[in-house]
Amino acid sequence: QVQLVESGGGLVQAGGSLRLSCVPSGHSFSTYAMGWFRQAPGKEREFVAATSGMTGAAYYADSVKGRFTISRDKVTDTVYLQMDSLKPEDTAVYYCVGDRATRSLLDNNGIDYWGKGTLVTVSS
């Protein structure tokens, strides 16, 4: 059974940092694009960041560029999202995702695998 298991969410004050982790299992994700989406209360799910499995290139939503960093451990396929300078508007459930095509993540179109999410709450 393929799983993406997120961890690292929690409560943090504005300006603080958190690091999310996503551990995949049941499938090799070494060539897959991996990334993060988030969904705030009452809002649609939105793209946050992605990393290409083939090139290692990183992509970010404009709202997090310069504050968030996505990285991947090539040995374990674990994907991280380092979140700095957090703002109250970053409050959301964060989901780890994986797909054979980076474009699927960037377009939020037919993504193969989703984790169950981890809650990040940023207080003002």
Side-chain angles (χ1 to χ4, degrees), residues 8-124:
L11 174 64
V12 63
Q13 287 188 331
S17 299
L18 282 176
R19 189 177 79 154
L20 305 184
S21 300
C22 171
V23 179
S25 63
H27 183 75
S28 173
F29 284 84
S30 61
T31 60
Y32 272 51
M34 302 291 292
W36 295 89
F37 277 71
R38 68 185 181 186
Q39 187 167 21
K43 295 188 177 181
E44 293 188 354
R45 200 170 292 186
E46 64 175 1
F47 169 79
V48 175
T51 178
S52 167
M54 302 304 290
T55 67
Y59 305 85
Y60 298 95
D62 288 343
S63 58
V64 307
K65 203 171 291 184
R67 300 187 299 119
F68 291 11
T69 304
I70 189 170
S71 61
R72 181 203 299 242
D73 183 315
K74 294 182 179 180
V75 175
T76 65
D77 284 342
T78 300
V79 180
Y80 302 97
L81 186 68
Q82 177 66 40
M83 304 186 296
D84 299 318
S85 302
L86 283 162
K87 304 175 181 180
E89 50 264 44
D90 294 319
T91 295
V93 177
Y94 284 71
Y95 298 90
C96 180
V97 295
D99 195 279
R100 286 163 289 183
T102 306
R103 178 51 57 185
S104 295
L105 269 62
L106 299 180
D107 294 343
N108 189 10
N109 183 20
I111 295 173
D112 289 338
Y113 301 106
W114 291 79
K116 293 184 178 180
T118 185
L119 177 63
V120 172
T121 304
V122 184
S123 63
S124 56

